[in-house]
Amino acid sequence: MSCIREDLFTGTDIVKMIVVVSFSAISLMLTAATPVNAQLFCPLVYCIPILLVALWFPRQAFWTTTLLVIGFVIIRVYLSGLGFAIDPVMTGLHTMIFFWVFGAATLFSQDSHLAASRCRRIIEDTRNARFLCDPETLRVVCASRKCADILGYAPRELVGIPAEAFWADETGKAWFIEEMEREGYVGNAEMTFYTHNGDARRVLLSCRFLPPENLFECTVVDTGRLLGENDELVRSNGRLLDLIRQTNDIFFMLDAAGCIVHFTWTRAPEYGISPEDLAGKGLDALLPDDLAAQSMERIRKVIGEQKSACYDLDLDVAGTRHTFSISIAPYNGVDGAFTGVVGSARDISEVRRQRLACRQLSWEVEQWKGLVTKLAHELRTPLQPLLGYLRMIVEDPDYYDLTKETEKVLKTCLACADQEQAVVERAIELSLLTMDYVDLTIQEIPLRELVAAAVSEGGYGQNALIYNEIPDNVRILGDPDRLSMAVTGLVSNAVKYNEPPEKVWIRYTGSNENHYIMVCDNGIGIPGDIIESIFEPFYIGDARQACNEGSTGLGLSIANKYVKLHGGDITVMSEMGEGSTFTIRIPREV
C-alpha cells in the first residue's frame, strides 16, 4: 500500500483492510453456496469490496478487483463441472460490471478532497509543518498545526486558501508549478511566504507529488526561526566559553581511540602547554607514559560500561607537584552513536593542603585539650592541701598560738588561695567551652524561678537589694544550667562593681522573635572605651577593686559564651556614675 510506504499508515487502515477482506470472502462464499436460480443478483455483492478498496486504497484497487473476478470465474466453472446450469453470458456480464465499478470508483476517488480525507488525520497530527494542496488549483485541502502556526493561521482556516496567499510574488508560484510538473518534486527551495498578518517570512519548502492521491504534499521549515535559534545557540556557546575562560579547570574531549579532540585550560600558557598542538595526539603527549597508560585503562572502562568515572591524578607540572580531580563520561552524537569521551580536571592541590592543615589543627586542638586537663590536675593538686591547712589553722588560731598579726596574714593567704582556685576552675571551664562541642539540653524554663534560684544560690541578696521584676508567666526555651550561669555572671558583676545603696533590677521584655533579659544596676558605670573589652577572658577593669571582690575576669566571658550557644548575644549600655544595663537576647526558636 502506498500509505504504508509513504508513512501514512494508521491503525484505522487495519480496520479498513479487515472490512475489505471480509466482504470479499462473503462475496466468494455466496457465489459458491447460493442456488443457481438466485445467482442473478448475488454477484452484485462483489461491488461492495471493489468500491471500498477503490476509495480507501486506490493503488491496490485493480489487483483486488482482478483477484475477485478470477475467484468468481473459478467458482462458476467449478459449479458448471458439478452439473449446475451456468449461463456464460451472465458470467461475462458480471465480470464487466465488476471492472466498470472498479473504474468508476477509481476515477471518483481521484478527487483531491476525497483523497485528502484519507490523509487528513495523518497530516494534522504530524509534528512537521506539512500541508496538502490540489495540483490544479493549488488550494490547500488540509494542513498540520505546526504549518498553520508558521503561517499565522488556525489549521481549519488554511483549508481552501489559494497559493497566491502565501507566495510573495508570481515568480515563486510559477517556478513551483514548473518544477512540480517537470520533476514531480521540489527539494529544499528557499523562498518567501506571506503570513496571515502580512509579514514576509523566509521558509525552506520541500514538495512531492502523491500519484495515488493526486495531491501535492509540501513540508515547510521556518528558516527565520532557525536563524534565531542559531543566534541564541551562538550566544549560549559564547557564554559557556566565557565561563570556561574564567575557571581554572581543564576541559577536554577524546575520541574512541583516546586521541585528544579538544583541550581547554586558561593556565596552559603558564606551563608551556599549547592546546592547538595537542589536537590529534594521544595522552602520552600530555602525561608520562605510566600515567597515560593508567588513564587509558580508565577511559576504556568508561567506554565499555558507558558510565562516568572520577579519580585523582598526581602530576608534576613545570616542576611542581599537583593533584587533579578527573571526571570523565561517554559522549554520544546527535544520532545517538558513541563519539568519544568528555571530561574535566580540577586542580585540588590547595584543597588537599587545606585538608591536611585542618587535620593538623584538629590534632593540635586535641593536644591542647589534653594539656588543659593535665594543667587542671597539676594546679589543683597543690592547692587542695594548701587550702585545707590554711582553713584548719585560721578556724582555730588559739590552738596554734597565733598572734593577731599572723592570723591576719594567714587569712589573706587563704583568700588569695580561694581566688586562685576559682581562677583555675573558671579558666578550665572557658577553655572547654572554646575548644569542645557543648550539647545543650533544651527545655521550657520558667524564667522568674530560674533567676530567683540563681540569686539565692549566689547569696547576692546579702550584699545588695535584688529586684526580680520578671512576670510569673514568662517561659523561654533553653538550657537551664547554662542560662542560669549566664544570669549568675551578670548579677555577680552588677553586685561587685556597685556602690551603696547597692541595687540590682532584673527585668524582661519580649518580641515576636526574641526574649530579652535585662540586668540593671546603679553602680559605677563602665567607660565607653572599654565596653568592647569586658567580655574578653581575664579582663579586669579596676584591678584593686577586683582583687578586693575576688574577681577572676572570666564571669562575663563565660556568660557571653553560654548565650552565644543559644544563638543570642549580650549588649551593654552604661553611663559613668549612673550604672549599667546588660541585656541578654535569646531567640524564641533555639
Side-chain angles (χ1 to χ4, degrees):
M1 292 174 57
S2 64
C3 59
I4 296 179
R5 190 177 66 252
E6 304 296 345
D7 297 330
L8 297 177
F9 177 71
T10 64
T12 308
D13 292 326
I14 297 177
V15 179
K16 293 179 180 179
M17 288 186 286
I18 293 174
V19 172
V20 171
V21 173
S22 300
F23 271 106
S24 300
I26 291 171
S27 302
L28 294 173
M29 287 187 291
L30 285 176
T31 303
T34 306
V36 176
N37 57 2
Q39 289 199 5
L40 179 63
F41 299 101
C42 285
L44 297 179
V45 179
Y46 283 79
C47 297
I48 297 176
I50 293 173
L51 179 62
L52 293 178
V53 76
L55 293 176
W56 289 341
F57 312 112
R59 181 169 291 185
Q60 285 72 37
F62 174 75
W63 296 107
T64 303
T65 304
T66 302
L67 291 174
L68 287 173
V69 168
I70 292 173
F72 174 73
V73 172
I74 290 174
I75 293 173
R76 282 297 185 106
V77 172
Y78 175 74
L79 291 175
S80 177
L82 293 177
F84 290 96
I86 302 299
D87 188 351
V89 176
M90 292 303 298
T91 301
L93 179 61
H94 285 140
T95 299
M96 288 187 290
I97 290 175
F98 296 157
F99 279 105
W100 179 84
V101 171
F102 152 71
T106 301
L107 291 175
F108 175 71
S109 68
Q110 297 302 310
D111 180 78
S112 60
H113 291 281
L114 184 62
S117 66
R118 296 194 295 268
C119 307
R120 178 171 288 111
R121 181 180 296 275
I122 304 300
I123 293 297
E124 290 180 351
D125 292 344
T126 185
R127 295 182 180 180
N128 298 323
R130 291 181 180 176
F131 68 90
L132 298 177
C133 64
D134 183 85
E136 297 181 1
T137 63
L138 291 183
R139 290 184 179 273
V140 178
V141 294
C142 68
S144 68
R145 182 176 300 278
K146 187 172 183 179
C147 178
D149 292 340
I150 291 176
L151 298 175
Y153 291 85
R156 299 294 181 184
E157 293 177 346
L158 280 175
V159 177
I161 294 180
E164 288 81 356
F166 302 147
W167 270 281
D169 51 45
E170 289 293 329
T171 305
K173 174 187 174 184
W175 176 85
F176 172 77
I177 296 175
E178 180 181 353
E179 289 293 315
M180 292 301 296
E181 290 179 350
R182 185 180 64 179
E183 302 288 349
Y185 71 91
V186 171
N188 297 330
E190 189 172 3
M191 55 187 61
T192 302
F193 269 12
Y194 279 137
T195 62
H196 186 44
N197 58 9
D199 295 336
R201 177 165 292 179
R202 296 295 293 177
V203 298
L204 201 64
L205 184 65
S206 301
C207 298
R208 60 177 176 172
F209 178 61
L210 304 178
E213 287 81 15
N214 191 31
L215 291 171
F216 288 161
E217 181 193 40
C218 300
T219 302
V220 180
V221 177
D222 187 356
T223 56
R225 183 175 299 176
L226 288 178
L227 290 174
E229 293 176 354
N230 184 65
D231 292 340
E232 179 59 30
L233 182 61
V234 171
R235 287 192 293 270
S236 299
N237 186 60
R239 290 193 291 268
L240 178 59
L241 290 177
D242 290 340
L243 179 61
I244 291 176
R245 295 188 189 100
Q246 293 173 7
T247 181
N248 290 327
D249 292 354
I250 300 173
F251 297 92
F252 58 89
M253 180 184 295
L254 310 175
D255 61 17
C259 294
I260 299 174
V261 178
H262 178 78
F263 184 88
T264 300
W265 189 22
T266 56
R267 301 185 63 185
E270 299 178 21
Y271 299 99
I273 299 175
S274 175
E276 293 78 10
D277 295 340
L278 291 176
K281 296 181 179 179
L283 290 178
D284 53 358
L286 187 63
L287 303 175
D289 294 341
D290 56 338
L291 295 181
Q294 294 175 14
S295 298
M296 278 306 303
E297 287 297 325
R298 292 189 173 97
I299 291 172
R300 293 189 189 98
K301 185 176 180 181
V302 168
I303 294 174
E305 298 179 355
Q306 288 292 294
K307 293 181 180 179
S308 58
C310 298
Y311 61 95
D312 290 344
L313 182 68
D314 293 325
L315 180 64
D316 287 329
V317 181
T320 305
R321 192 70 170 176
H322 290 263
T323 300
F324 292 92
S325 176
I326 312 294
S327 299
I328 54 177
Y331 172 69
N332 297 325
V334 178
D335 57 354
F338 174 74
T339 301
V341 175
V342 294
S344 64
R346 172 167 294 180
D347 190 345
I348 61 171
S349 306
E350 185 61 30
V351 174
R352 176 172 287 188
R353 284 192 288 269
Q354 290 177 358
R355 289 175 181 172
L356 179 59
C358 289
R359 286 196 295 268
Q360 292 175 343
L361 181 61
S362 176
W363 179 83
E364 291 177 3
V365 169
E366 292 297 324
Q367 294 298 312
W368 272 106
K369 288 167 63 176
L371 178 61
V372 168
T373 304
K374 185 177 292 185
L375 286 174
H377 176 74
E378 295 298 331
L379 290 174
R380 286 169 176 165
T381 300
L383 282 175
Q384 293 300 328
L386 177 62
L387 288 169
Y389 284 125
L390 286 174
R391 286 196 181 94
M392 182 177 64
I393 294 172
V394 169
E395 288 174 357
D396 193 4
D398 295 335
Y399 177 80
Y400 296 98
D401 296 328
L402 299 180
T403 63
K404 295 295 183 182
E405 187 66 25
T406 303
E407 181 183 354
K408 182 179 179 181
V409 171
L410 290 177
K411 286 184 177 179
T412 302
C413 292
L414 178 60
C416 291
D418 284 333
Q419 185 177 354
E420 185 67 23
Q421 186 183 40
V423 170
V424 170
E425 298 293 337
R426 303 305 290 274
I428 293 172
E429 183 179 2
L430 180 62
S431 298
L432 293 177
L433 279 175
T434 304
M435 294 188 295
D436 208 355
Y437 174 76
V438 179
D439 188 14
L440 298 179
T441 303
I442 303 300
Q443 61 188 62
E444 189 176 70
I445 305 170
L447 187 57
R448 181 179 177 85
E449 295 178 10
L450 181 141
V451 171
V455 171
S456 175
E457 291 175 3
Y460 301 113
Q462 300 175 4
N463 302 320
L465 296 175
I466 308 297
Y467 300 95
N468 187 352
E469 299 180 357
I470 298 177
D472 293 331
N473 61 349
V474 175
R475 280 168 170 71
I476 66 174
L477 291 177
D479 187 316
D481 293 334
R482 268 68 181 194
L483 287 182
S484 176
M485 292 179 184
V487 171
T488 299
L490 297 186
V491 173
S492 172
N493 189 75
V495 172
K496 288 177 182 177
Y497 297 96
N498 212 323
E499 293 181 349
E502 298 175 356
K503 297 181 180 180
V504 177
W505 296 267
I506 305 173
R507 297 165 178 159
Y508 169 84
T509 186
S511 67
N512 293 332
E513 298 181 355
N514 299 293
H515 299 286
Y516 297 95
I517 306 168
M518 292 160 285
V519 178
C520 311
D521 63 63
N522 62 336
I524 60 176
I526 304 172
D529 57 342
I530 67 169
I531 284 184
E532 296 297 329
S533 304
I534 61 176
F535 293 104
E536 296 179 3
F538 301 104
Y539 179 84
I540 300 176
D542 189 335
R544 184 178 57 184
Q545 183 175 2
C547 182
N548 294 334
E549 299 293 340
S551 176
T552 63
L554 293 172
L556 291 180
S557 181
I558 293 175
N560 192 38
K561 292 288 183 181
Y562 282 137
V563 171
K564 285 186 175 181
L565 287 175
H566 287 77
D569 52 41
I570 301 177
T571 56
V572 184
M573 295 181 61
S574 181
E575 292 186 15
M576 294 299 297
E578 298 293 332
S580 304
T581 298
F582 288 76
T583 302
I584 299 174
R585 180 186 64 85
I586 301 294
R588 288 186 178 271
E589 298 294 333
V590 178

